[in-house]
mmCIF file with all atom_site columns, all heavy atoms in Angstrom:
data_model
loop_
_atom_site.group_PDB
_atom_site.id
_atom_site.type_symbol
_atom_site.label_atom_id
_atom_site.label_alt_id
_atom_site.label_comp_id
_atom_site.label_asym_id
_atom_site.label_entity_id
_atom_site.label_seq_id
_atom_site.pdbx_PDB_ins_code
_atom_site.Cartn_x
_atom_site.Cartn_y
_atom_site.Cartn_z
_atom_site.occupancy
_atom_site.B_iso_or_equiv
_atom_site.pdbx_formal_charge
_atom_site.auth_seq_id
_atom_site.auth_comp_id
_atom_site.auth_asym_id
_atom_site.auth_atom_id
_atom_site.pdbx_PDB_model_num
ATOM 1   N N   . GLN A 1 115 ? -45.598 -36.986 33.439 1.00 90.00 ? 1167 GLN A N   1
ATOM 2   C CA  . GLN A 1 115 ? -46.409 -37.331 32.274 1.00 90.00 ? 1167 GLN A CA  1
ATOM 3   C C   . GLN A 1 115 ? -45.922 -38.581 31.560 1.00 90.00 ? 1167 GLN A C   1
ATOM 4   O O   . GLN A 1 115 ? -46.563 -39.056 30.635 1.00 90.00 ? 1167 GLN A O   1
ATOM 5   C CB  . GLN A 1 115 ? -46.450 -36.141 31.311 1.00 90.00 ? 1167 GLN A CB  1
ATOM 6   C CG  . GLN A 1 115 ? -47.166 -34.946 31.919 1.00 90.00 ? 1167 GLN A CG  1
ATOM 7   C CD  . GLN A 1 115 ? -47.276 -33.783 30.958 1.00 90.00 ? 1167 GLN A CD  1
ATOM 8   O OE1 . GLN A 1 115 ? -46.727 -33.811 29.858 1.00 90.00 ? 1167 GLN A OE1 1
ATOM 9   N NE2 . GLN A 1 115 ? -47.982 -32.754 31.372 1.00 90.00 ? 1167 GLN A NE2 1
ATOM 10  N N   . ILE A 1 116 ? -44.801 -39.138 31.993 1.00 92.00 ? 1168 ILE A N   1
ATOM 11  C CA  . ILE A 1 116 ? -44.297 -40.361 31.390 1.00 92.00 ? 1168 ILE A CA  1
ATOM 12  C C   . ILE A 1 116 ? -44.462 -41.554 32.323 1.00 92.00 ? 1168 ILE A C   1
ATOM 13  O O   . ILE A 1 116 ? -45.009 -42.586 31.940 1.00 92.00 ? 1168 ILE A O   1
ATOM 14  C CB  . ILE A 1 116 ? -42.810 -40.206 30.991 1.00 92.00 ? 1168 ILE A CB  1
ATOM 15  C CG1 . ILE A 1 116 ? -42.651 -39.032 30.018 1.00 92.00 ? 1168 ILE A CG1 1
ATOM 16  C CG2 . ILE A 1 116 ? -42.283 -41.493 30.370 1.00 92.00 ? 1168 ILE A CG2 1
ATOM 17  C CD1 . ILE A 1 116 ? -43.469 -39.146 28.744 1.00 92.00 ? 1168 ILE A CD1 1
ATOM 18  N N   . CYS A 1 117 ? -43.992 -41.439 33.565 1.00 92.00 ? 1169 CYS A N   1
ATOM 19  C CA  . CYS A 1 117 ? -44.016 -42.599 34.470 1.00 92.00 ? 1169 CYS A CA  1
ATOM 20  C C   . CYS A 1 117 ? -45.027 -42.459 35.603 1.00 92.00 ? 1169 CYS A C   1
ATOM 21  O O   . CYS A 1 117 ? -45.179 -43.378 36.406 1.00 92.00 ? 1169 CYS A O   1
ATOM 22  C CB  . CYS A 1 117 ? -42.629 -42.844 35.050 1.00 92.00 ? 1169 CYS A CB  1
ATOM 23  S SG  . CYS A 1 117 ? -42.111 -41.617 36.278 1.00 92.00 ? 1169 CYS A SG  1
ATOM 24  N N   . ARG A 1 118 ? -45.681 -41.287 35.709 1.00 88.00 ? 1170 ARG A N   1
ATOM 25  C CA  . ARG A 1 118 ? -46.724 -41.037 36.703 1.00 88.00 ? 1170 ARG A CA  1
ATOM 26  C C   . ARG A 1 118 ? -46.218 -40.960 38.143 1.00 88.00 ? 1170 ARG A C   1
ATOM 27  O O   . ARG A 1 118 ? -46.961 -41.204 39.074 1.00 88.00 ? 1170 ARG A O   1
ATOM 28  C CB  . ARG A 1 118 ? -47.843 -42.089 36.592 1.00 88.00 ? 1170 ARG A CB  1
ATOM 29  C CG  . ARG A 1 118 ? -48.546 -42.052 35.249 1.00 88.00 ? 1170 ARG A CG  1
ATOM 30  C CD  . ARG A 1 118 ? -49.741 -42.955 35.207 1.00 88.00 ? 1170 ARG A CD  1
ATOM 31  N NE  . ARG A 1 118 ? -50.461 -42.816 33.948 1.00 88.00 ? 1170 ARG A NE  1
ATOM 32  C CZ  . ARG A 1 118 ? -51.580 -43.462 33.657 1.00 88.00 ? 1170 ARG A CZ  1
ATOM 33  N NH1 . ARG A 1 118 ? -52.099 -44.291 34.538 1.00 88.00 ? 1170 ARG A NH1 1
ATOM 34  N NH2 . ARG A 1 118 ? -52.174 -43.279 32.502 1.00 88.00 ? 1170 ARG A NH2 1
ATOM 35  N N   . ARG A 1 119 ? -44.979 -40.631 38.312 1.00 90.00 ? 1171 ARG A N   1
ATOM 36  C CA  . ARG A 1 119 ? -44.458 -40.402 39.656 1.00 90.00 ? 1171 ARG A CA  1
ATOM 37  C C   . ARG A 1 119 ? -44.990 -39.060 40.171 1.00 90.00 ? 1171 ARG A C   1
ATOM 38  O O   . ARG A 1 119 ? -45.122 -38.099 39.412 1.00 90.00 ? 1171 ARG A O   1
ATOM 39  C CB  . ARG A 1 119 ? -42.929 -40.382 39.633 1.00 90.00 ? 1171 ARG A CB  1
ATOM 40  C CG  . ARG A 1 119 ? -42.308 -40.280 41.021 1.00 90.00 ? 1171 ARG A CG  1
ATOM 41  C CD  . ARG A 1 119 ? -40.785 -40.269 40.946 1.00 90.00 ? 1171 ARG A CD  1
ATOM 42  N NE  . ARG A 1 119 ? -40.199 -40.268 42.277 1.00 90.00 ? 1171 ARG A NE  1
ATOM 43  C CZ  . ARG A 1 119 ? -39.965 -41.367 42.976 1.00 90.00 ? 1171 ARG A CZ  1
ATOM 44  N NH1 . ARG A 1 119 ? -40.242 -42.553 42.449 1.00 90.00 ? 1171 ARG A NH1 1
ATOM 45  N NH2 . ARG A 1 119 ? -39.448 -41.299 44.194 1.00 90.00 ? 1171 ARG A NH2 1
ATOM 46  N N   . THR A 1 120 ? -45.276 -38.983 41.462 1.00 90.00 ? 1172 THR A N   1
ATOM 47  C CA  . THR A 1 120 ? -45.799 -37.767 42.061 1.00 90.00 ? 1172 THR A CA  1
ATOM 48  C C   . THR A 1 120 ? -44.805 -36.615 41.937 1.00 90.00 ? 1172 THR A C   1
ATOM 49  O O   . THR A 1 120 ? -43.620 -36.774 42.211 1.00 90.00 ? 1172 THR A O   1
ATOM 50  C CB  . THR A 1 120 ? -46.119 -37.995 43.545 1.00 90.00 ? 1172 THR A CB  1
ATOM 51  O OG1 . THR A 1 120 ? -47.063 -39.047 43.657 1.00 90.00 ? 1172 THR A OG1 1
ATOM 52  C CG2 . THR A 1 120 ? -46.697 -36.741 44.174 1.00 90.00 ? 1172 THR A CG2 1
ATOM 53  N N   . LEU A 1 121 ? -45.311 -35.457 41.514 1.00 90.00 ? 1173 LEU A N   1
ATOM 54  C CA  . LEU A 1 121 ? -44.479 -34.273 41.351 1.00 90.00 ? 1173 LEU A CA  1
ATOM 55  C C   . LEU A 1 121 ? -44.995 -33.144 42.228 1.00 90.00 ? 1173 LEU A C   1
ATOM 56  O O   . LEU A 1 121 ? -46.117 -33.187 42.738 1.00 90.00 ? 1173 LEU A O   1
ATOM 57  C CB  . LEU A 1 121 ? -44.476 -33.817 39.885 1.00 90.00 ? 1173 LEU A CB  1
ATOM 58  C CG  . LEU A 1 121 ? -43.954 -34.798 38.847 1.00 90.00 ? 1173 LEU A CG  1
ATOM 59  C CD1 . LEU A 1 121 ? -44.055 -34.183 37.460 1.00 90.00 ? 1173 LEU A CD1 1
ATOM 60  C CD2 . LEU A 1 121 ? -42.517 -35.187 39.142 1.00 90.00 ? 1173 LEU A CD2 1
ATOM 61  N N   . LEU A 1 122 ? -44.183 -32.119 42.369 1.00 81.00 ? 1174 LEU A N   1
ATOM 62  C CA  . LEU A 1 122 ? -44.562 -30.933 43.106 1.00 81.00 ? 1174 LEU A CA  1
ATOM 63  C C   . LEU A 1 122 ? -44.820 -29.776 42.152 1.00 81.00 ? 1174 LEU A C   1
ATOM 64  O O   . LEU A 1 122 ? -44.299 -29.739 41.038 1.00 81.00 ? 1174 LEU A O   1
ATOM 65  C CB  . LEU A 1 122 ? -43.452 -30.542 44.084 1.00 81.00 ? 1174 LEU A CB  1
ATOM 66  C CG  . LEU A 1 122 ? -43.058 -31.593 45.130 1.00 81.00 ? 1174 LEU A CG  1
ATOM 67  C CD1 . LEU A 1 122 ? -41.840 -31.103 45.909 1.00 81.00 ? 1174 LEU A CD1 1
ATOM 68  C CD2 . LEU A 1 122 ? -44.211 -31.885 46.072 1.00 81.00 ? 1174 LEU A CD2 1
ATOM 69  N N   . ASP A 1 123 ? -45.630 -28.840 42.622 1.00 76.00 ? 1175 ASP A N   1
ATOM 70  C CA  . ASP A 1 123 ? -45.878 -27.604 41.881 1.00 76.00 ? 1175 ASP A CA  1
ATOM 71  C C   . ASP A 1 123 ? -46.301 -27.886 40.437 1.00 76.00 ? 1175 ASP A C   1
ATOM 72  O O   . ASP A 1 123 ? -47.160 -28.711 40.180 1.00 76.00 ? 1175 ASP A O   1
ATOM 73  C CB  . ASP A 1 123 ? -44.632 -26.712 41.923 1.00 76.00 ? 1175 ASP A CB  1
ATOM 74  C CG  . ASP A 1 123 ? -44.231 -26.362 43.348 1.00 76.00 ? 1175 ASP A CG  1
ATOM 75  O OD1 . ASP A 1 123 ? -45.132 -26.141 44.180 1.00 76.00 ? 1175 ASP A OD1 1
ATOM 76  O OD2 . ASP A 1 123 ? -43.029 -26.316 43.600 1.00 76.00 ? 1175 ASP A OD2 1
ATOM 77  N N   . SER A 1 124 ? -45.674 -27.189 39.496 1.00 82.00 ? 1176 SER A N   1
ATOM 78  C CA  . SER A 1 124 ? -46.100 -27.294 38.098 1.00 82.00 ? 1176 SER A CA  1
ATOM 79  C C   . SER A 1 124 ? -45.118 -28.075 37.234 1.00 82.00 ? 1176 SER A C   1
ATOM 80  O O   . SER A 1 124 ? -45.087 -27.912 36.019 1.00 82.00 ? 1176 SER A O   1
ATOM 81  C CB  . SER A 1 124 ? -46.277 -25.891 37.511 1.00 82.00 ? 1176 SER A CB  1
ATOM 82  O OG  . SER A 1 124 ? -45.059 -25.160 37.609 1.00 82.00 ? 1176 SER A OG  1
ATOM 83  N N   . PHE A 1 125 ? -44.279 -28.911 37.849 1.00 92.00 ? 1177 PHE A N   1
ATOM 84  C CA  . PHE A 1 125 ? -43.342 -29.716 37.055 1.00 92.00 ? 1177 PHE A CA  1
ATOM 85  C C   . PHE A 1 125 ? -44.100 -30.766 36.249 1.00 92.00 ? 1177 PHE A C   1
ATOM 86  O O   . PHE A 1 125 ? -45.192 -31.196 36.612 1.00 92.00 ? 1177 PHE A O   1
ATOM 87  C CB  . PHE A 1 125 ? -42.319 -30.396 37.968 1.00 92.00 ? 1177 PHE A CB  1
ATOM 88  C CG  . PHE A 1 125 ? -41.401 -29.424 38.656 1.00 92.00 ? 1177 PHE A CG  1
ATOM 89  C CD1 . PHE A 1 125 ? -41.551 -29.146 39.999 1.00 92.00 ? 1177 PHE A CD1 1
ATOM 90  C CD2 . PHE A 1 125 ? -40.396 -28.780 37.944 1.00 92.00 ? 1177 PHE A CD2 1
ATOM 91  C CE1 . PHE A 1 125 ? -40.712 -28.240 40.635 1.00 92.00 ? 1177 PHE A CE1 1
ATOM 92  C CE2 . PHE A 1 125 ? -39.549 -27.880 38.568 1.00 92.00 ? 1177 PHE A CE2 1
ATOM 93  C CZ  . PHE A 1 125 ? -39.710 -27.602 39.916 1.00 92.00 ? 1177 PHE A CZ  1
ATOM 94  N N   . ARG A 1 126 ? -43.473 -31.226 35.159 1.00 92.00 ? 1178 ARG A N   1
ATOM 95  C CA  . ARG A 1 126 ? -44.127 -32.180 34.261 1.00 92.00 ? 1178 ARG A CA  1
ATOM 96  C C   . ARG A 1 126 ? -43.391 -33.504 34.158 1.00 92.00 ? 1178 ARG A C   1
ATOM 97  O O   . ARG A 1 126 ? -43.956 -34.490 33.708 1.00 92.00 ? 1178 ARG A O   1
ATOM 98  C CB  . ARG A 1 126 ? -44.256 -31.557 32.870 1.00 92.00 ? 1178 ARG A CB  1
ATOM 99  C CG  . ARG A 1 126 ? -45.038 -30.254 32.862 1.00 92.00 ? 1178 ARG A CG  1
ATOM 100 C CD  . ARG A 1 126 ? -44.898 -29.537 31.549 1.00 92.00 ? 1178 ARG A CD  1
ATOM 101 N NE  . ARG A 1 126 ? -45.455 -30.312 30.460 1.00 92.00 ? 1178 ARG A NE  1
ATOM 102 C CZ  . ARG A 1 126 ? -45.265 -30.011 29.168 1.00 92.00 ? 1178 ARG A CZ  1
ATOM 103 N NH1 . ARG A 1 126 ? -44.515 -28.988 28.839 1.00 92.00 ? 1178 ARG A NH1 1
ATOM 104 N NH2 . ARG A 1 126 ? -45.809 -30.747 28.245 1.00 92.00 ? 1178 ARG A NH2 1
#
Side-chain angles (χ1 to χ4, degrees):
Q1167 295 183 354
I1168 302 302
C1169 72
R1170 298 187 175 182
R1171 185 180 184 86
T1172 301
L1173 300 179
L1174 301 174
D1175 301 322
S1176 58
F1177 294 106
R1178 302 168 63 192

